[in-house]
Every structure is written in structure tokens, then in C-alpha cells.
Amino acid sequence: MTNLPWHQYLMGVLYILAGINHFRKPKMYERIMPPYIPAHSTMVLLSGIVEMIFGFMLLNKNTQSIAAWGIIAMLIVFFTVHIYMLQDERAAMKLPKWALILRIPLQFVLIYWAYLYV
């Protein structure tokens, strides 16, 4: 078995924990979803499951490429949430505007990080 780089383990664990958090605090995630996305509670739970699956898949050399592409696609979809949080005060969760703006370039960093494992 080939060892993976430490940062790949870190990313996998972060997505697993993020997915678990969808089940711990679903209302928080529902609040940040744009109104045009249907079935907020279902989508929050599904996205949590998908994040956990991709996190576990990233920890396996045989599935890491599929997981990385999945994470990239997921992060692109999540841009809609970040934009909505900038537009809607309730969705912003009292975060300062600068933090909400900073999340957008951070998304590109996360996409690049995932791309390392394709």
C-alpha cells in the first residue's frame, strides 16, 4: 500500500468532518442555501453524505482521482452559496463582508488543492 501525502489525509478528513457537520447543524446550512435550490433540508443532508463519501474516497489511492473531480465539481456548485451569502443578510450569518468576500478566492484555492489529487 502506498502512503498518501499528509495534506491529502488532511483534506479527506476535513471533508468527512464537514459532511458530519451537515447532520449536526442542518439549519445553519439550510439558511445559507439560495431560495432557487429546492428541498433545502434534503439537499443539506445529501451534500453532507456526498462530502463524507468524497472525503473517504480521497483517502484511497484507487478512488482519489474520482473523489478529487467530485470535490472540484462540488466546490464549483458551492459558489452559488457564497454569492448568496454576500447578497442576503440573513444568509450571511453576521459574518463581516470582508470574510464573505474572502471565501470566494478561498474556493479557488480549495479547487486547486483538490486538483493535486486528480
Side-chain angles (χ1 to χ4, degrees):
M1 179 176 168
T2 305
N3 285 337
L4 303 172
W6 67 268
H7 44 84
Q8 188 169 346
Y9 287 110
L10 176 63
M11 180 179 245
V13 169
L14 287 175
Y15 280 100
I16 293 165
L17 293 174
I20 290 169
N21 208 42
H22 283 68
F23 292 88
R24 291 182 61 239
K25 299 183 180 202
K27 295 292 181 206
M28 178 186 75
Y29 291 96
E30 290 172 22
R31 185 175 4 162
I32 66 174
M33 291 185 72
Y36 55 83
I37 296 176
H40 284 185
S41 57
T42 302
M43 293 301 251
V44 166
L45 298 179
L46 283 175
S47 62
I49 291 168
V50 169
E51 280 186 275
M52 288 187 288
I53 289 171
F54 286 154
F56 282 114
M57 287 175 67
L58 197 63
L59 301 177
N60 183 320
K61 193 79 171 149
N62 297 324
T63 57
Q64 77 178 37
S65 183
I66 296 166
W69 282 118
I71 289 168
I72 290 166
M74 188 174 62
L75 290 170
I76 290 169
V77 169
F78 289 171
F79 273 115
T80 61
V81 170
H82 298 306
I83 300 298
Y84 178 63
M85 288 179 76
L86 272 168
Q87 297 171 333
D88 185 273
E89 190 175 320
R90 184 174 173 268
M93 298 187 307
K94 299 181 182 173
L95 291 170
K97 194 68 112 178
W98 66 265
L100 295 170
I101 292 169
L102 189 62
R103 291 178 71 188
I104 304 226
L106 178 61
Q107 246 357 51
F108 288 105
V109 172
L110 293 173
I111 288 169
Y112 173 74
W113 187 11
Y115 187 72
L116 296 175
Y117 312 120
V118 168

